[in-house]
Amino acid sequence: MYDRMTAAHEAGHAVVCAAVGVRHVAFVRSDGSGQVSSTGDTLIGDLHPEDHAAVLLAGKVGEAMARGYGDLKEAVNDTLALEHDGALLREALSEIPSYQYKRGAAVEMADRALSILKKNRAEFDRLRRQLEEEGIGHVKDMGPVAKP
């Protein structure tokens, strides 16, 4: 059994990736002590900055969904605090001409991720459960995903 929030995080990334046409392999690995040692892998390619931002935010938004929602600003702040995803998010936001690092833009993209996840709640929940139980779930295993 794997951590519920880590599974929700990776399921969030995977569902939003599928909705914007990006391949994502969701997995959770443990180092044997119960600590998570690595998680999903996304093949971004040439993605519109708004889609890229939504993909990056989708992990923390997925965690918020698993907890029963909450403030999207918290999901944005949590994502920005992550070393890897935070740097990528700042870069994606900087490429959106009208925003230039504004947190409002990040909240807007988090809302976009939430909208995608709500439309695809059944797939999100299925993949989250699969990740919790098995530690791996591939986007190719997912059914049709509603587009944003």
Side-chain angles (χ1 to χ4, degrees):
M1 204 64 168
Y2 293 90
D3 176 70
R4 183 171 188 252
M5 286 302 115
T6 303
H9 184 101
E10 290 308 318
H13 282 310
V15 170
V16 173
C17 280
V20 300
V22 175
R23 182 170 181 261
H24 180 89
V25 177
F27 61 87
V28 181
R29 287 194 189 133
S30 173
D31 64 7
S33 69
Q35 295 295 314
V36 173
S37 62
S38 62
T39 57
D41 183 29
T42 303
L43 305 174
I44 293 292
D46 190 23
L47 195 60
H48 189 280
E50 291 178 352
D51 289 339
H52 193 181
V55 165
L56 291 165
L57 288 158
K60 289 296 183 179
V61 172
E63 290 179 34
M65 278 185 63
R67 284 192 301 266
Y69 301 104
D71 187 355
L72 287 179
K73 289 179 185 172
E74 182 179 332
V76 169
N77 290 336
D78 288 351
T79 302
L80 287 168
L82 296 172
E83 184 177 341
H84 180 70
D85 285 358
L88 291 174
L89 177 58
R90 282 187 284 282
E91 181 181 335
L93 290 173
S94 73
E95 294 173 14
I96 302 172
S98 61
Y99 296 132
Q100 297 300 320
Y101 292 103
K102 292 182 184 173
R103 263 186 222 258
V107 172
E108 194 176 314
M109 296 305 109
D111 189 52
R112 183 161 183 251
L114 179 61
S115 174
I116 292 167
L117 292 174
K118 282 181 175 179
K119 285 180 189 174
N120 300 285
R121 184 66 194 239
E123 291 298 333
F124 170 79
D125 287 339
R126 182 201 61 77
L127 185 56
R128 179 187 50 78
R129 282 190 304 273
Q130 184 181 14
L131 289 167
E132 281 181 61
E133 294 167 10
E134 301 171 24
I136 189 161
H138 299 277
V139 172
K140 68 180 182 183
D141 297 339
M142 295 176 62
V145 175
K147 300 292 181 193

